[in-house]
Amino acid sequence: MMERDGRKDAVVLVSGGLDSTTVLAIAKAEGYRVNALSFRYGQRHAVELEAARRVVAAMGVERHVVADIDLRAFGGSALTDAIAVPKHGSAAELGEGIPVTYVPARNTVFLSFALAWAETLGASDLFIGVNALDYSGYPDCRPEYIAAFETLANLATKAGVEGTSRFRIHAPLMTLDKAGIIRRGQELGVDYSLTHSCYDPTPDGLSCGTCDSCLLRLKGFSEAGTIDPIRYDSGTNI
């Protein structure tokens, strides 16, 4: 939908993490009016939602919706069930398979909500921060998945069927590794101290430094030649 100031609306999925924050900055740099969407989905902690609120406030986002869904009803993931979050000594120890931190069909659920909101807004652009390199092996972070969901979006909506809108799923980080994502964010002035990536933070909100997400994040900052500005648990070997 084109508004009076000439900008198009876009729905951007914002978790409060490094990737989605970078995507939010990209959408704004491309001139979109951002409608940010986050989820309280029964995840282990609320720290990431607090980060999402900080990020959208700092970036001047005009509308931020936090949708409630309870994926704990199904479980099946270390993020939504009583399953321990795996810890490792270094990123080199990360396995090749799909880890227990994978939440079944999470990106499909999230994109479906984003699509519904986009259709009500008259928007045709959805942004998501998936990438196919440093992504922990999640099947719903691959380019073929994004292409398939875009096809579905245009088949399963009134706007798509009537031809009033052609939905596009933007995944601008798809071919970047974590270091590349960080460099892109720095070019856009992203303040990564506002973000949170840890799967299993301490009670006072410090990142553990040893879960898959922390290790990939730390590896990215190291390879980008810069220091991660967030605080980590002093008991970990950073």
Side-chain angles (χ1 to χ4, degrees):
M1 177 171 63
M2 194 72 69
E3 294 290 343
R4 283 181 239 173
D5 63 3
R7 291 184 297 165
K8 291 198 301 182
D9 281 286
V11 175
V12 181
L13 293 176
V14 179
S15 69
L18 185 153
D19 295 344
S20 70
T21 299
T22 307
V23 166
L24 176 57
I26 290 171
K28 286 184 67 67
E30 291 181 358
Y32 288 95
R33 173 183 289 100
V34 170
N35 301 272
L37 178 58
S38 305
F39 293 92
R40 188 180 294 107
Y41 64 91
Q43 59 266 56
R44 298 175 69 92
H45 59 81
V47 180
E48 65 181 22
L49 280 177
E50 294 165 5
R53 292 188 182 97
R54 290 195 299 268
V55 165
V56 298
M59 291 197 186
V61 171
E62 288 145 73
R63 190 173 182 192
H64 181 207
V65 168
V66 178
D68 285 288
I69 48 178
D70 191 0
L71 297 182
R72 290 176 300 179
F74 309 132
S77 167
L79 303 189
T80 57
D81 209 338
I83 300 170
V85 173
K87 303 297 177 73
H88 306 279
S90 71
E93 296 178 11
L94 300 183
E96 294 295 322
I98 299 171
V100 295
T101 50
Y102 163 69
V103 179
R106 182 175 62 178
N107 281 346
T108 302
V109 174
F110 288 180
L111 279 172
S112 296
F113 271 66
L115 177 62
W117 193 17
E119 190 170 23
T120 65
L121 290 170
S124 57
D125 297 278
L126 288 69
F127 283 77
I128 184 171
V130 297
N131 75 302
L133 298 178
D134 288 341
Y135 73 113
S136 295
Y138 297 159
D140 52 0
C141 289
R142 298 173 298 160
E144 52 266 48
Y145 165 75
I146 296 299
F149 193 93
E150 185 174 288
T151 298
L152 178 148
N154 287 293
L155 288 172
T157 54
K158 178 182 178 183
V161 170
E162 293 183 347
T164 58
S165 185
R166 176 72 187 173
F167 292 103
R168 183 180 174 200
I169 313 300
H170 300 256
L173 310 183
M174 183 60 76
T175 60
L176 298 177
D177 60 11
K178 274 290 187 288
I181 292 167
I182 291 163
R183 292 188 190 102
R184 181 70 179 116
Q186 290 174 329
E187 291 169 0
L188 295 171
V190 171
D191 182 358
Y192 286 119
S193 72
L194 302 174
T195 67
H196 177 88
S197 302
C198 183
Y199 291 149
D200 192 24
T202 65
D204 55 354
L206 296 182
S207 296
C208 74
T210 56
C211 69
D212 292 16
S213 186
C214 281
L215 290 169
L216 288 172
R217 177 181 174 122
L218 286 164
K219 175 174 175 281
F221 275 98
S222 176
E223 292 178 350
T226 187
I227 296 173
D228 189 347
I230 69 168
R231 295 174 60 211
Y232 286 84
D233 181 10
S234 60
T236 62
N237 183 24
I238 305 302

